[in-house]
Structure formats: structure tokens, C-alpha cells
Amino acid sequence: MEHKKYNSINKSVRKKDAMQLLLGKPVYTKDLVPENALVVKLLRSPHANAIVNSIDTKVAKLVPNVVDIYTWEDVPNNRFTNAGQTYPEASPYDRLIIDRHVRFVGDVVAIVAAENEKAAIKALKLIKVDYEVLEPVLDFRTAKDNKILVHPEDNWLAPCEVGGTNKRNLVASEQSEYGDVEGVLADCDIVLDRTYHTKAFNQAMMETFRTYTSYDRYGRLHVISSTQIVFHVRRILSHALGIPKNMIRVEKPRIGGGFGAKQTAVSEVYPAFVTMKTGRPAMIVFTREESQIAGSPRHEMEVRVKLGANKDGKIRVLDLYTLSNSGAYGEHGPTTVGLSGHKSIPMYTGSLEAHRFNFDVVYTNTMAAGAYRGYGATQGIFALETTVNELAETLDMDPTVIREMNMLKEGMVMPAYYNEIASACALDKCLAHCKEMFDWDNKYPVRDMGNGKVRCAGIGMAMQGSCISNLDVGSATVKLNDDGTYNLMIGAADMGTGCDTILAQMVAECMDCSVDDVTVFGADTDASPYDSGSYASSTTYITGKAVEKACTDLKKSMCSIAAGLMDCSEDEVVFEKGILKRINTDQAVTIAEVGVKSQLNNSIITQASASHSSPVSPPPYMVGMVEIELDKLTGEVTILDFMSVVDCGIPINPALARIQAEGGIVQGIGHTLFENVTFDATGRMVESSLMQYRLPTRLDMGNLKVEFEHSFEPTGPFGAKSIGEIVINTPAPAIAHAIYRATGVWHRELPITPEQIAMGK
């Protein structure tokens, strides 16, 4: 398809914050905190399930520089959720700021406020707690209808009906079916019934959770936090603290990574409560250990796949059941699980006659899960794509051919994806492109390298979404300055993804100016227009469309002012190449002249705000191929090449899009081969530091190569779709496939460790 040539779109321009970050300027939350802020520390439970019988803080309060210590007796009895999602929240209201009933190792028992960190840490050691230790539920396979209830309280509340009940340890449950699943399964030549298990992987972002709070000069609670969701944090704090939303202001500075972890309000409520009680500024900074044991990791899931196919490779029916472990609290539990089916099954729309997708989300006495890039699709795609690869191996078919036969193609209706139409789908082109770039035909065969080492290849494909359809709202305000430059105000949070830059490129394209002429501000609940936040891959697609709308409205106002300057009607003025011209004349005025005039005897505003929501969530698509070298003696896997082709519509900034893809691929490699989350018999997380929780380094990722296939999404800004999340989804199935090719063993649990490979299990 031939696409329009753009001036600022589909161009790799430097990030707006690049020089600030490179020069080490004070841009992060902790950089902005005054020295007199109280240090907030949390006493955490050593037990997975217990009741606090009593807590003695008298000695701890005598420590010099300790200001106060708060327990469950001091906090409001308002149940709330930490999940940063659009109201009404799907996640249950099951938290208190501090609960007498602690539900996982790391749950909060007391809040210490002190003048300095040394005093706070000393006080933590002197608090005496008497616990009634209860038997925990640690295995999520036994949690549903277990006699042990993680949330036995009577004031547990589900704002939305999602099939959950605390009396059954159920956060959510649902069943859906299309076509005659059992009938088609019975008629298939081959039925594969496989179960997969993925762990609760940690985001391990460089900047841990942290929040600063104070009262501003108007007596309002001012919150500066490393968060993706400023407007949701305001609502969460309002519920938890029992104060009106208009008495809370939340802003975010630069964010040192989030990957979804900061779509949950993990840290905000504690310093906010301290500021409310003391009237003083307060700051909490999670240690790395706290972020590991009490953060918001990926949901552990078990996904059962039934796949029915003919001998010729036609996939006729898919049946998925997902069991998701929400941990001690229900944040994001009802919403992540849906993606495990709705973002995997539709990839095979081309051949499916029937499908079924059921799920249960359960409570256990482990760390509460949350949002992580891929948001449930990652787990479902690993399971389904690995099953498809097994079908190909069973039939002795090339797995690229079996996908070509069955895959979704442009124009198809996707019954498993809310009956949306794949209006922009280059998945088939991605596969063909990746196959050629990777040299699949030569790398797919297993090659013995000697010394017990073999080389081989694997494949995975993926889809995601570009927003939460019929729900997410993105907004933008664009303002003309008197020098002819522009201010862009947004509520979306740039967490290193580059959305400030990408949205500025859209303004530059609309207004025929340089990206340097656009200053970006956000996100601040007082100054920014409402935005759901940076999650669900929605910023480019949803907020970007709001930018387009705002620029269109601003141009109209500018044309009105220009008409006055040129003494003509507005209909005679056109906005062209950054100048306002009168049609069929030589008359013209500059943007700067309009900007100056807007401040002189003028009643036409040169500022425009717009909001956008979408009834659809057009998927981006991706194909990934990996070549590995596997040592059969030690089980060590070395990534040689990982190549992928992505369809994100029109990439607004190809360099940033490529970086997103490369980063997601590395995270996917980490989940597949290195990262592990295990709990001991008491419910304590073993990998509590980065010494035990192994992350991939540059030496582990091999040669990465990312290219793009363009499609044009008519509902997106400039034809764009999302890219943020899909990029993490192909490494797991591709690497698992390659390991099978090398060893003859299918590994259905992540991570796949060298020990498991060497032992053949």
C-alpha cells in the first residue's frame, strides 16, 4: 500500500528528554525531594498468613528522630484496590492501608516515619509483634474452594461483576464459547491436549517504587510519584484515605522504567498517610528487596490448550482454560487473564471453526500480582504457539507453512476478539519477511556442531491490542505561544518509552513545524487533561488521536485570528506549511504574528483540548525467529540470533519503535531462560535480590534484529497502532521450540533452566 509522505512522522528524531538524562540532571522523583522530608519505612510480615494479635511500638517510638509509628489501629477502614484501571474498577476492593490480617510474606504490618533512614531502620527492629500464625494457601492449583480463605472479611467488595467471590478464593471467573467445540474436536484427526505453566516474573525496572508527598500552599495533598497512572493514583488515594479527589494533586517526573509495575499504586498510600497524620513532607523509596517481594509482578498462570486439527495441518478448533494466580490481593486479576485467550486464539481465525475460552483467577498467600508488559497475552501466546509448533512437528510440517495455512489475514472478522475486523493486518507479510531475513530454510534444520553442541531454530508469532476498547480515554491540550511555538500538555506518562517525543512529532506534523518547536508537559492531575494513563499499549493510538483532534481545532482558531489580521473571512484562510495564507492572494501571516495577536485585543483562544476513545483495539502483529546453540551435556542455551518483524501500522518514530522491540525481546528471553520466582514452604520468596533473580545481560541476548512491515490502521493517528507490549510475546514459544528441536523434549514450564534441559524434563 502506498502511504503519504510525512515531514515528522515515521522519522527517527531524538528523544525530548535525551540530554537531561545523559547529563544527569535532577529529573527523577528522589531528585526532587527536599532534605527535610520524613523517611517512611514499612515493617513487613514474616508470615504468609497470620493475624496480628498485638503490636508493641513503645520502645521503637523512643528511638531518637522517630516521629511516629502507625499500625492497623490507626488507619481508615476503607477497602480499596491498588489497580490503576479506569473506573469502575474490575479489580475487587480488598485492601486496607494496613490490615490486621496479613496475607503474604512482605505484607505491611506497620509504618515508621522518622527524620532519617538510620532511625527508621532501627525502629523497625524494635517493634514487637505477636502473630497468630495461620495455615497459608500457597499452591494456586488448590486455592479455588479451599477451606482456607485468603479474604474471609465481610466488607470485601467487587465493584464490577466479574464472577469473583472471596468466599471461594475467586477473584474472577468466566466461560465463553463459539461454535460446537466438542463436536469439532471429535471430528479432528489430531487432538493435542497440553498444559503450560509460567511464573510470576518481576519487572525489575531500574528505578524501584518511590513516592514523595506533602501539603501544598492550599492545604491539598501533593503527590510526586514514579507512576504510569496519575489520575488513577488520585482516585486510589481518595478511596484509601477517605478524602475528596479535589484535595489531591498527583504528578509524575521522569520514570526510571515501569513495564506495567507502576500501573499499580504500590507505594503511594504510605507517605500520603504519614503526611496526613504529621502535616509534613514524606518520602518512601522501596529497596530492591521490597520491590522483589512486595511489588506487582506478572500473574503466574497455568494454561491448558486443546487443539484440534486435520492431518493436512488445518487447525479447526481451540479450547483454552487459564488458571491465574492473583496472589494475596486482586489487582489486575480480572483483566490480565482475558488476554491469555483473547490475544492468542484470534491469530488462527483463518481456519477456526470453533473455540472456547474459560478462566479462573484465584487468591493465594503469595505476593500480589499486577500488570507486566504483555498483560496475560504473554502467557497465553507461549502456550498456544508452543502447541502449534508441536502440531507442526507431529505432522512433520514446516511450522511457517502451518501458520501460513491458518493465520489471520487482513479483512477477516475475529470472533475470539470481540468480533473486531482485522482492518490493518500484515501478519502474513511479517512471516514472509522474517523467514527471508532470518534465512529460515537453512537455519531450521538441526545442525550438529560437535562437542555435544547443536544449532537449530524456533518460531513464534503474536498479537496484542492498542487500547482497552470502549473504555480508555486519551486527551491532549495544544497551546500556541506568542513566538510561534507550541506547548503540548498530556496526562499520559512517558516512562522511558518516548511518548513525549512521539506525541510531539504528531503536533509537529499537524502544525507544519519542527519537533523542537513543541514543548511537552505531563503528567499532572491539576494541569494535564484527563488521560487513562500509560498502559494497555494505548498512548500512541489513543492519546495520539487526541493530539490530532486538538491540532485540528487549534488551526481553526488560528485561521480566525489570521482572517482578522488580513481583513478577510475565515473561509478565505488556509493553514499551509506553517503559514496562514489568504486564498488567491499574496497575503499571508506567520504563526508568530498570530501568536502575538492572540494576546492583543483578542477573544479567540489559541489553545485546544481534545479527548479520544475508540470502539476498537486494532492489534499489532509480530513474528519472531530464534537460532540457538544448545550444549546437550550442560543444558546451556546460547542465543545466537533473534530476528523479528513487527506490524505496528506506521511507526511514528522507527528508532524508538525498534528500541521498544529489542527491549521486549530481551525481557522475553529473560523469562524463558533465566528469571525465576520460587517460594519456600513458608511462603517466603527465594529470589529476593538481583543476586538470586537472574536477569539477562548484553552477553545473553545474541544478535538482535528488528524490522517492520507497514499496515495502515484507519482508526489510528497517521495509520499507527501500538508496539509497547506485543514485543515481549514471541521469545518464549520460539526458544521452547528451538530447545525441542535440539533435544526432542517439549518444556512446558518457564523458565527453562539448564538443569531441566540436561535432565530432559
Side-chain angles (χ1 to χ4, degrees):
M1 183 186 294
E2 194 68 35
H3 300 304
K4 177 184 173 183
K5 299 294 184 183
Y6 296 113
N7 295 319
S8 299
I9 299 301
N10 199 24
K11 299 286 192 304
S12 297
V13 304
R14 190 172 72 185
K15 285 180 67 179
K16 280 286 183 182
D17 56 358
M19 294 310 296
Q20 284 181 301
L21 300 179
L22 284 172
L23 296 174
K25 299 294 184 183
V27 296
Y28 296 103
T29 300
K30 200 167 187 298
D31 298 332
L32 308 177
V33 177
E35 292 183 2
N36 68 336
L38 295 175
V39 172
V40 178
K41 290 287 182 182
L42 304 175
L43 180 68
R44 298 185 178 278
S45 169
H47 306 293
N49 194 15
I51 303 292
V52 177
N53 285 329
S54 63
I55 183 165
D56 186 350
T57 61
K58 291 193 292 292
V59 175
K61 285 183 178 181
L62 295 175
V63 173
N65 292 314
V66 168
V67 174
D68 211 343
I69 299 173
Y70 309 99
T71 71
W72 62 273
E73 296 177 295
D74 301 306
V75 301
N77 189 32
N78 305 325
R79 294 237 172 239
F80 64 98
T81 176
N82 270 341
Q85 295 176 287
T86 300
Y87 186 85
E89 296 106 316
S91 300
Y93 287 12
D94 54 12
R95 278 189 181 268
L96 296 176
I97 298 172
I98 307 174
D99 202 328
R100 186 178 184 183
H101 186 172
V102 289
R103 295 175 171 83
F104 72 98
V105 176
D107 212 349
V108 176
V109 178
I111 303 171
V112 175
E115 301 287 355
N116 56 60
E117 188 171 28
K118 184 178 179 181
I121 292 172
K122 185 174 182 180
L124 288 176
K125 296 175 181 177
L126 295 173
I127 299 172
K128 296 180 180 178
V129 187
D130 176 39
Y131 295 97
E132 177 189 349
V133 180
L134 307 173
E135 184 181 350
V137 180
L138 298 177
D139 183 354
F140 75 127
R141 299 174 185 88
T142 66
K144 182 180 175 181
D145 294 322
N146 196 299
K147 69 180 190 303
I148 301 168
L149 294 180
V150 178
H151 282 274
E153 66 270 12
D154 292 330
N155 60 347
W156 181 93
L157 173 67
C160 292
E161 177 50 55
V162 291
T165 168
N166 58 320
K167 302 305 182 181
R168 298 181 63 197
N169 283 338
L170 267 181
V171 178
S173 182
E174 187 177 290
Q175 297 81 39
S176 61
E177 187 169 342
Y178 172 84
D180 182 7
V181 171
E182 295 300 335
V184 179
L185 278 170
D187 190 50
C188 286
D189 299 326
I190 297 170
V191 175
L192 299 179
D193 187 346
R194 303 291 183 259
T195 301
Y196 302 83
H197 179 216
T198 62
K199 301 287 189 69
F201 303 117
N202 263 295
Q203 294 89 347
M205 58 280 172
M206 289 179 68
E207 183 194 34
T208 60
F209 301 99
R210 55 197 60 199
T211 302
Y212 165 72
T213 58
S214 63
Y215 278 125
D216 68 14
R217 60 188 180 277
Y218 303 108
R220 300 166 70 227
L221 183 65
H222 183 197
V223 180
I224 301 176
S225 191
S226 183
T227 180
Q228 302 170 219
I229 45 161
V230 291
F231 286 96
H232 296 328
V233 165
R234 182 177 65 173
R235 183 181 68 247
I236 291 165
L237 291 178
S238 174
H239 287 169
L241 300 170
I243 60 177
K245 295 187 190 76
N246 72 326
M247 293 303 293
I248 305 171
R249 174 191 178 190
V250 182
E251 63 173 314
K252 70 97 198 164
R254 293 290 107 187
I255 301 176
F259 309 114
K262 294 169 185 175
Q263 194 194 333
T264 303
V266 174
S267 60
E268 284 83 356
V269 72
Y270 306 110
F273 180 73
V274 168
T275 292
M276 281 186 62
K277 297 293 283 188
T278 65
R280 294 184 55 183
M283 175 78 184
I284 191 168
V285 176
F286 274 40
T287 63
R288 178 58 62 183
E289 180 180 5
E290 287 180 297
S291 290
Q292 287 291 110
I293 69 167
S296 55
R298 189 181 294 287
H299 285 74
E300 177 186 23
M301 289 187 187
E302 186 173 84
V303 183
R304 181 179 178 181
V305 179
K306 285 185 183 178
L307 181 154
N310 290 344
K311 289 179 181 177
D312 63 359
K314 180 186 178 185
I315 299 171
R316 299 176 59 194
V317 58
L318 290 171
D319 182 5
L320 265 71
Y321 170 72
T322 301
L323 178 66
S324 178
N325 182 6
S326 197
Y329 299 97
E331 281 106 25
H332 301 278
T335 45
T336 48
V337 68
L339 276 66
S340 66
H342 294 307
K343 300 292 170 68
S344 58
I345 297 172
M347 291 191 294
Y348 294 94
T349 297
S351 60
L352 279 187
E353 299 169 32
H355 66 261
R356 179 164 55 208
F357 175 43
N358 299 338
F359 64 74
D360 289 311
V361 185
V362 295
Y363 284 116
T364 63
N365 292 115
T366 57
M367 169 176 41
Y372 191 166
R373 187 182 212 164
Y375 203 77
T378 311
Q379 296 95 309
I381 287 170
F382 164 61
L384 179 53
E385 284 296 277
T386 303
T387 308
V388 171
N389 283 332
E390 183 174 351
L391 175 66
E393 298 292 344
T394 301
L395 296 174
D396 195 25
M397 289 181 67
D398 186 313
T400 63
V401 174
I402 211 165
R403 285 175 171 82
E404 288 164 358
M405 287 176 56
N406 295 285
M407 68 165 56
L408 171 71
K409 293 180 180 173
E410 189 162 287
M412 289 183 178
V413 177
M414 299 175 280
Y417 193 62
Y418 316 107
N419 287 313
E420 285 192 22
I421 299 172
S423 57
C425 176
L427 183 56
D428 52 347
K429 295 177 183 176
C430 289
L431 179 58
H433 185 159
C434 197
K435 190 173 180 179
E436 180 181 355
M437 177 174 73
F438 183 79
D439 192 16
W440 173 263
D441 291 338
N442 289 318
K443 289 182 178 178
Y444 178 55
V446 179
R447 288 147 284 144
D448 191 330
M449 308 305 292
N451 298 320
K453 295 183 179 181
V454 295
R455 290 186 179 184
C456 49
I459 182 176
M461 70 182 191
M463 62 176 278
Q464 195 78 35
S466 293
C467 67
I468 304 174
S469 57
N470 295 303
L471 198 67
D472 281 343
V473 173
S475 302
T477 297
V478 183
K479 181 176 69 171
L480 173 65
N481 298 312
D482 58 344
D483 61 354
T485 62
Y486 300 92
N487 285 96
L488 169 63
M489 286 154 280
I490 56 172
D494 192 327
M495 50 185 163
T497 50
C499 78
D500 286 1
T501 308
I502 289 164
L503 296 173
Q505 286 180 254
M506 295 185 189
V507 174
E509 185 65 39
C510 290
M511 307 309 291
D512 288 315
C513 68
S514 163
V515 176
D516 292 335
D517 289 338
V518 183
T519 301
V520 184
F521 173 84
D524 183 326
T525 55
D526 272 11
S528 301
Y530 176 79
D531 196 289
S532 300
S534 296
Y535 61 89
S537 300
S538 62
T539 305
T540 297
Y541 177 71
I542 292 289
T543 309
K545 202 67 179 176
V547 168
E548 268 196 319
K549 288 180 175 180
C551 288
T552 298
D553 292 343
L554 179 57
K555 283 181 181 179
K556 292 178 182 176
S557 296
M558 292 167 65
C559 286
S560 295
I561 294 174
L565 288 171
M566 292 185 285
D567 194 23
C568 66
S569 69
E570 188 178 331
D571 293 341
E572 295 180 77
V573 179
V574 293
F575 190 109
E576 191 176 288
K577 296 182 179 178
I579 296 175
L580 295 127
K581 298 179 179 179
R582 185 176 181 182
I583 300 171
N584 299 324
T585 73
D586 293 331
Q587 276 188 290
V589 293
T590 66
I591 303 300
E593 287 174 314
V594 171
V596 170
K597 174 56 182 171
S598 71
Q599 301 177 0
L600 301 168
N601 189 25
N602 173 59
S603 58
I604 301 170
I605 191 166
T606 48
Q607 175 175 305
S609 295
S611 291
H612 182 67
S613 193
S614 176
V616 295
S617 177
Y621 305 95
M622 179 178 183
V623 172
M625 295 178 176
V626 67
E627 181 186 20
I628 67 168
E629 182 172 272
L630 186 144
D631 189 323
K632 289 190 173 183
L633 179 64
T634 65
E636 181 184 13
V637 174
T638 301
I639 305 291
L640 301 177
D641 287 291
F642 197 105
M643 297 189 184
S644 64
V645 179
V646 186
D647 163 22
C648 60
I650 303 298
I652 303 298
N653 187 316
L656 294 181
R658 185 169 285 106
I659 290 167
Q660 286 281 296
E662 291 173 351
I665 289 166
V666 172
Q667 287 179 312
I669 291 170
H671 293 176
T672 309
L673 296 177
F674 305 113
E675 301 176 47
N676 206 358
V677 171
T678 54
F679 296 91
D680 66 16
T682 68
R684 183 183 65 87
M685 182 180 166
V686 175
E687 296 80 10
S688 59
S689 79
L690 296 185
M691 294 294 288
Q692 297 99 348
Y693 190 77
R694 187 184 167 196
L695 296 167
T697 70
R698 182 64 188 89
L699 299 176
D700 299 311
M701 61 186 74
N703 175 49
L704 302 183
K705 187 173 183 181
V706 177
E707 293 190 359
F708 299 95
E709 276 292 336
H710 293 184
S711 62
F712 188 89
E713 174 50 50
T715 65
F718 307 99
K721 300 184 290 186
S722 77
I723 195 168
E725 293 184 274
I726 186 173
V727 291
I728 200 172
N729 294 335
T730 57
I735 294 169
H737 184 204
I739 291 171
Y740 165 78
R741 296 283 294 169
T743 64
V745 176
W746 289 106
H747 292 270
R748 307 188 199 282
E749 181 179 75
L750 300 182
I752 307 169
T753 64
E755 293 85 355
Q756 291 169 324
I757 294 170
M759 295 171 68
K761 52 169 128 173

